[in-house]
Amino acid sequence: MKDIIINDISKTYGDTVVFDHFSYTLRPGGIYTLSSGSGTGKTTLLRMLMGLEAPDTGTIFGIPDRIGAVFQENRLIDGLSVLKNISLVCPDSVPASDILRDLARTGLEGCASASVNELSGGMQRRVALVRACLYPCELLLLDEPFTGLDSELVAVCTDYLLEKTAGRTCIVAGHIRSPRLDAVSSEISIPHR
């Protein structure tokens, strides 16, 4: 793994300046949080790191080939079971028992055979988190991963996330704070425009 270098990027939408010559370096295996207010560029930054949007100017170097993500929407496949939704991103070497163990660790024991559209929003969110964490990648980008979770589940999912991100670079963007995550992460400060 190598540094991910965000070098002097700018991004606007019409007259709205989201980034104005912003630079930052993500160190390999680092855990980072983005917790600024709505409309400050958190999702835009994640989308640029994923290659879904490009900066207007500036460059981003060092992005690995494989990126795990939790989007603002769960992006699960309706009609498929929880187990099948997660299995789709896992290598064949990951046994179903590992997926079942991770589901249990996030409070989803007994849900593997349920169709994802039968689950509550908070349960779907945890499925999306488990799916991203089990995807074999060097970079995890999580946009609002704790949406729909109460404080107890946020703590449970934080513990799970910190274990699964060991050795991987991870950015967690969101409004819901996790004291444990805050204690071990570096805050990426996006200047307000």
Side-chain angles (χ1 to χ4, degrees):
M1 281 195 310
K2 54 190 171 185
D3 288 352
I4 297 170
I5 301 168
I6 302 164
N7 184 38
D8 199 33
I9 63 169
S10 295
K11 183 71 175 176
T12 59
Y13 295 104
D15 293 334
T16 303
V17 177
V18 182
F19 291 98
D20 185 19
H21 301 283
F22 176 73
S23 296
Y24 197 88
T25 299
L26 302 166
R27 304 289 181 205
I31 299 174
Y32 301 88
T33 52
L34 283 163
S35 55
S36 53
S38 294
T40 56
K42 295 185 303 293
T43 297
T44 299
L45 180 59
L46 296 183
R47 290 180 58 80
M48 286 191 287
L49 289 166
M50 285 186 261
L52 299 175
E53 291 188 39
D56 298 332
T57 61
T59 54
I60 301 175
F61 298 105
I63 301 292
D65 292 334
R66 297 171 86 162
I67 301 169
V70 170
F71 293 87
Q72 282 186 336
E73 319 79 30
N74 293 319
R75 298 199 181 181
L76 302 171
I77 301 173
D78 286 342
L80 291 185
S81 70
V82 168
L83 183 62
K84 187 65 174 171
N85 264 276
I86 296 170
S87 297
L88 287 172
V89 305
C90 293
D92 292 338
S93 60
V94 175
S97 59
D98 285 1
I99 298 171
L100 296 175
R101 179 200 63 225
D102 283 23
L103 288 170
R105 294 203 45 233
T106 59
L108 292 170
E109 55 278 315
C111 295
S113 61
S115 175
V116 292
N117 50 323
E118 297 172 1
L119 303 179
S120 70
M123 293 169 83
Q124 289 182 13
R125 201 66 182 152
R126 285 178 278 158
V127 172
L129 178 63
V130 170
R131 181 182 61 187
C133 287
L134 285 174
Y135 180 65
C137 61
E138 294 177 8
L139 176 62
L140 272 170
L141 302 175
L142 310 176
D143 200 352
E144 303 286 355
F146 304 132
T147 297
L149 307 184
D150 62 26
S151 58
E152 183 177 324
L153 282 173
V154 168
V156 166
C157 288
T158 297
D159 288 343
Y160 171 76
L161 176 64
L162 291 175
E163 178 186 312
K164 295 308 243 185
T165 57
R168 298 196 268 183
T169 306
C170 179
I171 300 176
V172 180
H175 297 95
I176 299 173
R177 302 300 295 250
S178 164
R180 180 131 193 281
L181 183 60
D182 288 345
V184 298
S185 64
S186 299
E187 176 76 22
I188 300 173
S189 179
I190 300 173
H192 296 287
R193 299 280 153 229

